[in-house]
Amino acid sequence: QVQLAESGGGSVQSGGSLRLSCAASGYTPMRYCMAWFRQAPGKEREGVAYVTTYDTTMYADSVKGRFTISRDNAKNSLYLQMSRLQPEDTAMYYCAAGPIGGTECSLREMSFADWGQGTQVTVSS
């Protein structure tokens, strides 16, 4: 079973940047789909962005043009570069891996088999 560990969260002012990382360990066959989700206090978890093994990406409308998702398959790592952060980006950010052998990608929670524990991002105005 794969373990996913996020890092890079923190507190920044509005307009600032952060880079989140997710390291996969344990049994880590390549997953076609990897994604970032986030959950703000009192809200449901929402998909932020995904990336496939072919580097196809998709972003939620709320982060398009500000966030960039990428992956390094050789390092079993996933990244999220976040720029022009706004207070509404404040949330716990989670790394998610699609199922082994999967061939599809989406931002639906049910599509992901493994999750990290999350890293907190707080943006102040």
Side-chain angles (χ1 to χ4, degrees), residues 2 7 11 17 21 30-31 51-52 54 58 62 64 66 72 81-82 84 88 101 106 113 115 121-122 125:
V2 68
S7 61
S11 297
S17 300
S21 298
M30 188 179 298
R31 308 295 181 94
V51 59
T52 72
Y54 297 104
M58 179 178 176
S62 58
K64 280 181 183 177
R66 301 188 299 120
D72 185 333
Q81 178 66 48
M82 305 185 294
R84 290 184 283 149
E88 51 265 36
S106 76
W115 296 82
V121 172
T122 302
S125 57

Side-chain angles (χ1 to χ4, degrees), residues 31-33 98-104:
R31 308 295 181 94
Y32 176 74
C33 186
I100 297 170
T103 59
E104 297 182 349

Side-chain angles (χ1 to χ4, degrees), residues 16 26 29 31 34 40 44 53-54 60 67 79 81 87 94 107 109 111:
R31 308 295 181 94
M34 298 288 293
E44 294 186 351
T53 51
Y54 297 104
F67 291 10
Y79 307 99
Q81 178 66 48
Y94 298 91
L107 287 178
E109 278 193 68
S111 300

